[in-house]
Amino acid sequence: MSQFTINLLFVGASFALYFGIAIWARAGSTKEFYVAGGGVHPVMNGMATAADWMSAASFISMAGLIAAGGYANSTFLMGWTGGYVLLAMLLAPYLRKFGKFTVPDFIGDRFYSRTARLVAVACLIAASVTYVIGQMTGAGVAFSRFLEVDKDTGLIIAAVVVFFYAVLGGMKGITYTQVAQYCVLIVAYTIPAVFISLQLTDTFIPAIGLFSEHTQSGMPLLQKLDEVVRELGFRDYTADVDNKLNMVLFTLSLMIGTAGLPHVIIRFFTVPKVADARWSAGWALVFIALLYLTAPAVASMARLNLMTTIYPDGPTENSIAYDERPDWIQTWEQTGLIQYEDKNGDGRIQFYNDTPAFAEEATARGWAGNELNVNRDILVLANPEIANLPSWVIGLIAAGGLAAALSTAAGLLLAISSAISHDLIKGSINPDITEKGELLAARVSMFFAIIIATYLGMNPPGFAAQVVALAFGIAAASIFPALMMGIFSKRVNSKGAVLGMLAGLGSTLVYIFTYLGWFFIPETNTLANTPDNWLFGVSPLSFGAIGAVINFAVAFLVSSMTEDVPEEIQELVESVRYPKGAGGAVDH
């Protein structure tokens, strides 16, 4: 049986499961569409939240970025994990107690302003659409490889699949589909990792294998990897980061951006009680940890396997001939995500860091430039093939990669559609709309959101995880400060909140668009996205933290210069933060 047939079997079986669940759990009311009826068990909700959270960026792209950048890109891991803890501890229980199941609902009521609600809708759509672009990019990569089509065709197929089960089932269908998707993606991620860890270190737990001895060389795995990449002009895999400020800002941007993600926040309204929201947050963290503890090992082992595939006799010896390249390179070349150009005409593959610092060594070895371009988003998907694992493992990871991308895309599209139908149309434009009309508006808005995300996903402003990081920056600068001030400050009024969100969102978008193209349209950027052009060395991916500071500063400044918050709103904030009937402490 061919690999293509095996891939189709695994992917087809998983899709049949998702579609079956969508039909079984079809939403018949707005409550079922938005919050699955509010009756999901905390463990199942934790699993669904983990699937919603561990997107294509986590499954497909994060390990690829860590593999390419080493320790420097571990910021993705630290920021996303820390951010989820921040969300679970600081925001989720209070928002759940407030009782409004969308972010604009909370902001509109807390800041007693229709304008605040509309600005929150704009912030939510900006963050969510950017996030969906990353998911669709990852789904396109996965579909292109495993259906052996070009990446744009893969992207269109992904859009059709998401549209079917997200539009049909709403949150009810998405929740139970995401439970199934979590099971698929975690099995698909860990089984290849276990195989590869055993191959390289004789240790079956990848996280332990990362710090174990490399069987073939007798050296610690990370030391061996450092040696290989250093010989090819790359910086040490475990090297420290030069720009500490950018690293701190980027990690902070990911953390507070996580805590402001509307599609994750809405999941805490699908459980019956506030206590269940806390439990589901804890369970989600357990389920997330299973993948996040494995990712660094997957990244390191993928990088080492890739290098030793190209240089089987060591980095100082001849590389493989292009005609002798393994099948997996040939297959990925068909997608355009691996490209080869024989620059020195020797028929071999030169893969190294083509920089001025390594130019003398490259010239001495007869090299005329790096000849192999490998898209970072393919490393996890290609890892089983690089390591010569069984065909069924490759089929399994195909299903897992698609599950990761599609689960988060569906959750994001639901957040976008609920913002438009519930917060914009019902909340501001037509309060008397019927439930049937609201449901139709939600599905129509989801359709248009998919179209926009698919179009932009064909020319994304970066790798899947980088695009997602931009979305986190937008959420960090606009939504997170408003939520924090809404819960923990009785001083911030509607004018402060509105101007703060506009200042945070506006400054962040302008900074991002300056380097990555206006509205992410290719070749419309004002400045090249290089460190020497960045303001004070701050990357566009890191600016969300600064945007958040601007948001907080403007909100507090404006609030101090304008009218006080109404008494009833101050009492509302108090009631959300403290249980009813709680008295003061008594000194016995």
Side-chain angles (χ1 to χ4, degrees):
M1 189 179 294
S2 69
Q3 184 62 59
F4 179 73
T5 305
I6 292 172
N7 293 342
L8 282 182
L9 287 174
F10 273 88
V11 173
S14 63
F15 279 12
L17 176 63
Y18 306 153
F19 289 154
I21 291 172
I23 293 168
W24 166 73
R26 191 175 192 277
S29 67
T30 51
K31 188 175 183 183
E32 288 183 341
F33 191 88
Y34 293 139
V35 291
V40 181
H41 191 277
V43 175
M44 292 191 73
N45 194 53
M47 201 176 290
T49 303
D52 209 355
W53 168 247
M54 292 189 299
S55 60
S58 292
F59 188 99
I60 296 174
S61 195
M62 180 176 66
L65 284 171
I66 296 174
Y71 171 73
N73 278 345
S74 64
T75 47
F76 286 92
L77 196 67
M78 295 184 289
W80 283 335
T81 310
Y84 184 80
V85 176
L86 192 67
L87 170 63
M89 299 283 289
L90 271 184
L91 295 181
Y94 299 109
L95 291 172
R96 178 65 179 81
K97 186 179 179 185
F98 191 85
K100 298 295 184 180
F101 61 78
T102 69
V103 167
D105 244 358
F106 169 80
I107 291 175
D109 285 8
R110 161 59 184 88
F111 295 109
Y112 51 96
S113 166
R114 178 178 292 186
T115 303
R117 181 192 298 270
L118 294 176
V119 172
V121 169
C123 295
L124 185 151
I125 291 173
S128 298
V129 168
T130 305
Y131 204 157
V132 174
I133 295 169
Q135 302 317 302
M136 300 309 286
T137 301
V141 169
F143 270 111
S144 66
R145 164 61 187 90
F146 298 113
L147 297 181
E148 297 181 10
V149 294
D150 65 82
K151 64 182 181 66
D152 287 348
T153 303
L155 193 58
I156 292 169
I157 295 171
V160 172
V161 172
V162 171
F163 177 75
F164 179 84
Y165 74 78
V167 169
L168 183 66
M171 180 58 88
K172 186 178 179 183
I174 287 171
T175 295
Y176 294 108
T177 302
Q178 285 174 336
V179 171
Q181 286 169 328
Y182 176 79
C183 296
V184 171
L185 75 86
I186 199 66
V187 170
Y189 202 85
T190 52
I191 286 181
V194 168
F195 271 106
I196 293 165
S197 182
L198 282 169
Q199 277 186 353
L200 295 179
T201 67
D202 288 336
T203 305
F204 73 92
I205 300 176
I208 296 175
L210 176 62
F211 301 101
S212 300
E213 184 179 279
H214 180 235
T215 307
Q216 189 174 352
S217 66
M219 301 166 59
L221 180 81
L222 289 174
Q223 184 181 332
K224 173 64 178 177
L225 182 52
D226 275 344
E227 180 185 273
V228 170
V229 297
R230 193 186 310 126
E231 291 285 353
L232 295 169
F234 298 98
R235 61 183 288 147
D236 281 11
Y237 190 80
T238 57
D240 201 357
V241 182
D242 297 328
N243 190 339
K244 291 288 198 304
L245 172 64
N246 196 62
M247 184 178 188
V248 170
L249 288 175
F250 183 54
T251 305
L252 182 60
S253 181
L254 291 179
M255 285 183 65
I256 62 178
T258 297
L261 288 176
H263 75 291
V264 177
I265 291 172
I266 201 173
R267 291 232 59 92
F268 296 102
F269 293 90
T270 61
V271 291
K273 304 189 296 288
V274 175
D276 292 334
R278 294 181 186 275
W279 275 108
S280 64
W283 278 110
L285 196 57
V286 171
F287 294 130
I288 289 168
L290 293 177
L291 188 144
Y292 271 51
L293 289 172
T294 306
V298 170
S300 307
M301 293 171 187
R303 180 77 179 273
L304 184 57
N305 271 333
L306 177 62
M307 293 301 188
T308 53
T309 297
I310 305 301
Y311 295 92
D313 298 319
T316 58
E317 303 298 326
N318 284 332
S319 56
I320 61 168
Y322 179 69
D323 291 341
E324 297 173 1
R325 69 195 187 284
D327 291 341
W328 69 267
I329 291 182
Q330 298 178 40
T331 306
W332 280 102
E333 280 181 302
Q334 295 173 17
T335 69
L337 297 170
I338 287 184
Q339 296 175 336
Y340 169 75
E341 179 185 358
D342 190 3
K343 295 180 179 179
N344 65 349
D346 68 349
R348 294 186 176 276
I349 301 175
Q350 274 81 55
F351 183 47
Y352 68 99
N353 193 16
D354 191 4
T355 59
F358 196 68
E360 185 177 341
E361 174 67 21
T363 303
R365 297 182 66 171
W367 297 347
N370 178 60
E371 298 176 346
L372 193 70
N373 289 314
V374 180
N375 186 299
R376 297 174 187 178
D377 284 347
I378 76 167
L379 274 186
V380 170
L381 299 176
N383 213 10
E385 297 171 278
I386 298 172
N388 293 315
L389 297 184
S391 297
W392 66 268
V393 178
I394 297 169
L396 182 64
I397 207 163
L402 294 171
L406 299 178
S407 61
T408 303
L412 287 162
L413 290 165
L414 184 71
I416 294 169
S417 69
S418 63
I420 293 172
S421 61
H422 181 77
D423 299 305
L424 183 60
I425 296 175
K426 186 177 178 64
S428 299
I429 298 173
N430 182 14
D432 298 324
I433 189 173
T434 64
E435 183 170 291
K436 185 177 180 181
E438 187 181 349
L439 205 55
L440 177 62
R443 286 173 168 146
V444 170
S445 58
M446 192 180 285
F447 170 76
F448 283 106
I450 291 173
I451 297 296
I452 293 169
T454 302
Y455 171 75
L456 293 173
M458 291 180 179
N459 294 287
F463 300 107
Q466 291 172 323
V467 180
V468 168
L470 293 174
F472 279 63
I474 294 169
S478 58
I479 298 173
F480 173 77
L483 295 177
M484 285 292 290
M485 291 183 291
I487 294 170
F488 296 104
S489 173
K490 293 185 284 186
R491 293 176 52 202
V492 180
N493 61 21
S494 60
K495 291 185 177 67
V498 168
L499 292 176
M501 284 189 288
L502 289 174
L505 178 66
S507 59
T508 302
L509 286 179
V510 167
Y511 195 81
I512 288 171
F513 291 159
T514 297
Y515 297 99
L516 297 174
W518 292 89
F519 301 99
F520 300 131
I521 297 171
E523 300 179 5
T524 60
N525 53 304
T526 308
L527 297 172
N529 187 26
T530 54
D532 54 309
N533 283 329
W534 295 343
L535 187 64
F536 302 114
V538 177
S539 159
L541 298 178
S542 308
F543 194 82
I546 296 175
V549 172
I550 293 172
N551 188 331
F552 277 116
V554 169
F556 279 110
L557 180 63
V558 171
S559 296
S560 68
M561 297 170 63
T562 52
E563 71 276 2
D564 290 337
V565 175
E567 190 68 33
E568 64 270 19
I569 299 298
Q570 294 188 41
E571 291 174 1
L572 177 66
V573 173
E574 194 81 12
S575 70
V576 169
R577 287 167 50 192
Y578 300 105
K580 288 182 180 178
V586 179
D587 185 2
H588 294 290

